[in-house]
Amino acid sequence: MTSESKPPFPPFTLETATKKVKAAQDAWNTKNPEVVQFAYTPDSIWRNRDTFLQGRDEIVKFLRNKWGVENGYRLRKELFAFTDNKIAVQFWYEWYDESGQWWRTYGLEDWTFADNGLMRKRQMSGNDVRISDDERWFKDGVDVNSVDISEKHW
């Protein structure tokens, strides 16, 4: 049996918590559930809005379905707060539905990590806001980290 780990490890500092957040952002922006799953413990517990999951198999299935519906998905995550083994994240992502309507999802997540740096618990709350193509922040070719998101969106 191999020992899995994913640095940085708790306890977190401002620097290591920020690295963890941006690594998650980058992984999710691949839209590859088979890659994303390895940031989580094999028995990781999730609440995503009103959906409750446990384990990598359920996470992969959930993400396949999510990214099958949320076309053009582009995500930005920012560190909100942290303690020894917990990180809170604020996020925004944009996507369009099957009719071509664009949406921006605003939300917060709280994460709890195992000592090996894998996430053992993830809770997400989010709200979807209809936007026009002109209102999009994360258009093709734009670095999501370079977008100036004003305080009214925080």
Side-chain angles (χ1 to χ4, degrees):
M1 183 168 144
T2 61
S3 176
E4 294 180 273
S5 66
K6 190 153 190 78
F9 306 113
F12 296 114
T13 64
L14 176 59
E15 179 184 359
T16 61
T18 301
K19 282 183 182 178
K20 204 69 147 170
V21 170
K22 290 304 180 178
Q25 171 188 291
D26 294 345
W28 278 61
N29 275 330
T30 70
K31 299 177 284 297
N32 184 338
E34 286 72 23
V35 169
V36 172
Q37 71 172 320
F38 293 111
Y40 304 93
T41 61
D43 61 348
S44 186
I45 298 168
W46 279 29
R47 180 189 57 77
N48 198 94
R49 301 179 194 238
D50 62 349
T51 302
F52 294 81
L53 311 168
Q54 185 165 11
R56 288 180 177 160
D57 290 343
E58 290 185 15
I59 290 168
V60 168
K61 181 179 177 187
F62 173 84
L63 292 174
R64 279 187 191 134
N65 291 337
K66 170 186 176 60
W67 290 323
V69 173
E70 294 176 349
N71 302 294
Y73 178 95
R74 299 280 308 279
L75 166 72
R76 168 132 162 222
K77 292 182 184 276
E78 292 294 337
L79 178 65
F80 189 76
F82 70 96
T83 62
D84 292 341
N85 71 333
K86 295 182 180 189
I87 295 176
V89 174
Q90 186 164 4
F91 68 85
W92 310 263
Y93 65 86
E94 294 175 349
W95 55 282
Y96 62 92
D97 62 24
E98 62 190 20
S99 74
Q101 173 62 56
W102 278 96
W103 299 87
R104 181 176 302 126
T105 301
Y106 293 80
L108 296 168
E109 294 179 323
D110 88 64
W111 303 340
T112 303
F113 290 86
D115 290 341
N116 65 358
L118 297 176
M119 195 181 304
R120 65 180 183 82
K121 186 183 78 163
R122 173 185 175 268
Q123 296 187 83
M124 180 278 223
S125 296
N127 300 295
D128 300 324
V129 176
R130 184 184 307 258
I131 60 172
S132 69
D133 186 66
D134 291 341
E135 294 172 296
R136 291 177 52 214
W137 294 335
F138 307 139
K139 294 187 177 192
D140 290 342
V142 171
D143 176 359
V144 295
N145 294 308
S146 70
V147 175
D148 182 25
I149 300 175
S150 69
E151 187 174 12
K152 76 178 186 177
H153 295 283
W154 281 74

